[in-house]
Amino acid sequence: VWVAELFPTTIRARSMSIQSMFARLGAMSSPFVVDIGQKNAALALLIFATPCAICGALDLCLPETRARKLPNTTDDIFSDDGESESEP
């Protein structure tokens, strides 16, 4: 999944910064989860696997963006004109 295809130009940088923040929070919390894993391996596996499974399931809800014009504004997200870029 490419972030550039999901968010319109007007909010793309903000969404990238929010995603980067959550990635850093996950990286900071991972040593603590590894420490939990030394005491209870199943719990650590559950903590690491649950967000992956949830995100995998949510990815199924995303629209297909192949050969479609990328949105420039938030209004473009909700328009159902079905326009697509012409392929050479």
Side-chain angles (χ1 to χ4, degrees):
V1 177
W2 297 100
V3 175
E5 295 178 359
L6 293 178
F7 297 102
T9 306
T10 56
I11 61 171
R12 193 169 296 144
R14 182 174 291 143
S15 68
M16 285 293 295
S17 64
I18 291 170
Q19 291 173 40
S20 177
M21 179 187 66
F22 279 104
R24 290 171 193 268
L25 287 173
M28 287 187 291
S29 65
S30 64
F32 299 107
V33 177
V34 170
D35 188 45
I36 291 171
Q38 292 176 350
K39 297 174 181 99
N40 188 347
L43 180 60
L45 180 62
L46 184 68
I47 291 171
F48 280 130
T50 302
C52 295
I54 291 170
C55 289
L58 288 175
D59 279 346
L60 297 173
C61 299
L62 293 174
E64 177 61 51
T65 59
R66 183 181 305 186
R68 297 197 65 189
K69 184 178 175 185
L70 296 179
N72 287 319
T73 66
T74 52
D75 294 333
D76 292 345
I77 295 173
F78 301 110
S79 67
D80 276 336
D81 56 8
E83 289 182 18
S84 63
E85 294 180 10
S86 61
E87 295 191 21

